[in-house]
Amino acid sequence: MICVMGDTHGDYSRFSHRSVKQLKKGDFLIICGDFGFVWDGSDREKAMLKKIGGKRFTTLFLAGSHDNYDLLEKYPEEELLGGRGRHICGNLFMLSSGEIFDIDGIKAFVFGGGQASDIDARIENDTWWEQELPDEERLEEGRKRLSDVGDKVDYIFTHEPPGSIAEFLDMGSSRSLPMSRLNIYFDKLKNEVGFKLWFFGKLHKNKVVPPKYAAVFDEPYIIG
């Protein structure tokens, strides 16, 4: 079984949700960006990571637009579930962007990162990192991997939504969401790649957008 939820931002109480507590050995929890538990490298944080990694199920997360990329990159990339990822601790892993994974029998394309709306209030290499927004080379690598599997996967997991979906969900709001090259890239993918459902976490909403998009946050979505 796979359980999918959105940004945790270092809030351990999110692991107390009834759906998460029902996960068993061999099950997976996927967090769609802004994991937030790899942030300051403190002893308290390391203890929390050990606690998450010690759970009976496997936790997989994407990097978002509020994660410490310098710290994350200290964990070396390795082969993981048919793609590339970073082993954080125990049963806790980060999924690298632009990779295709075999997770509990499903083929999943994963792409983290994004553009934060509060970037002007943050400090480079302290609370904001250039790596948050993937470069063109990483975008091209992701597109090639999709092409290699015939432009067809079961599920897509990202932090950012496709731009057109973000605009739809933000309709009527007084705030203006910045559109980045990543949103535009995802808009192209949604028209070129076959998939059952696309999950994203950035908007902090729990809402399915028919026919095949799902904003996830604090109400986990169960696959299988």
Side-chain angles (χ1 to χ4, degrees):
M1 183 169 72
I2 299 172
C3 181
V4 188
M5 66 181 180
D7 308 6
T8 46
H9 289 288
D11 180 5
Y12 187 74
S13 70
R14 297 283 297 285
F15 287 85
S16 299
H17 192 282
R18 61 187 180 280
S19 295
V20 178
K21 292 173 76 172
Q22 290 172 2
L23 295 175
K24 311 179 299 296
K25 182 178 180 180
D27 291 337
F28 293 86
L29 171 65
I30 300 177
I31 299 170
C32 291
D34 284 1
F35 179 59
F37 290 93
V38 181
W39 186 255
D40 59 17
S42 65
D43 289 342
R44 179 181 179 278
E45 183 173 88
K46 291 174 184 176
M48 189 64 70
L49 291 172
K50 187 174 181 180
K51 189 173 182 180
I52 296 170
K55 293 187 178 297
R56 58 186 178 272
F57 57 86
T58 298
T59 300
L60 307 172
F61 70 92
L62 293 58
S65 53
H66 291 89
D67 284 306
N68 187 329
Y69 281 73
D70 287 347
L71 279 182
L72 287 171
E73 290 173 3
K74 289 184 178 180
Y75 297 91
E77 274 196 319
E78 59 184 49
E79 295 295 322
L80 173 67
L81 300 170
R84 301 283 294 173
R86 300 179 190 272
H87 184 200
I88 307 302
C89 180
N91 290 327
L92 173 63
F93 301 84
M94 188 189 91
L95 303 177
S96 296
S97 292
E99 297 284 332
I100 293 176
F101 299 91
D102 182 353
I103 305 172
D104 199 26
I106 70 164
K107 187 183 296 182
F109 178 67
V110 169
F111 215 117
Q115 182 167 305
S117 57
D118 62 349
I119 193 169
D120 291 340
R122 296 162 65 192
I123 302 169
E124 187 170 1
N125 298 323
D126 182 51
T127 55
W128 169 78
W129 289 266
E130 183 181 8
Q131 304 99 298
E132 289 177 2
L133 198 58
D135 60 24
E136 292 294 337
E137 183 179 357
R138 182 56 65 99
L139 299 182
E140 290 174 9
E141 288 174 355
R143 190 66 192 86
K144 183 180 184 303
R145 284 182 174 80
L146 285 167
S147 180
D148 288 344
V149 296
D151 285 336
K152 188 173 183 179
V153 293
D154 295 310
Y155 297 93
I156 295 177
F157 300 94
T158 62
H159 178 59
E160 290 273 6
S164 57
I165 303 300
E167 288 175 345
F168 172 77
L169 287 172
D170 201 47
M171 198 176 299
S173 172
S174 59
R175 64 195 178 99
S176 177
L177 291 175
M179 288 293 144
S180 69
R181 61 174 174 265
L182 191 53
N183 300 111
I184 296 167
Y185 173 78
F186 289 159
D187 254 339
K188 289 187 66 177
L189 290 189
K190 78 181 181 63
N191 295 322
E192 298 172 350
V193 177
F195 58 93
K196 295 177 183 176
L197 202 56
W198 183 323
F199 295 93
F200 52 90
K202 182 182 179 182
L203 301 184
H204 291 195
K205 298 184 181 201
N206 304 297
K207 187 174 180 62
V208 174
V209 181
K212 50 186 181 179
Y213 303 93
V216 287
F217 184 43
D218 55 3
E219 285 296 325
Y221 190 106
I222 303 298
I223 300 173

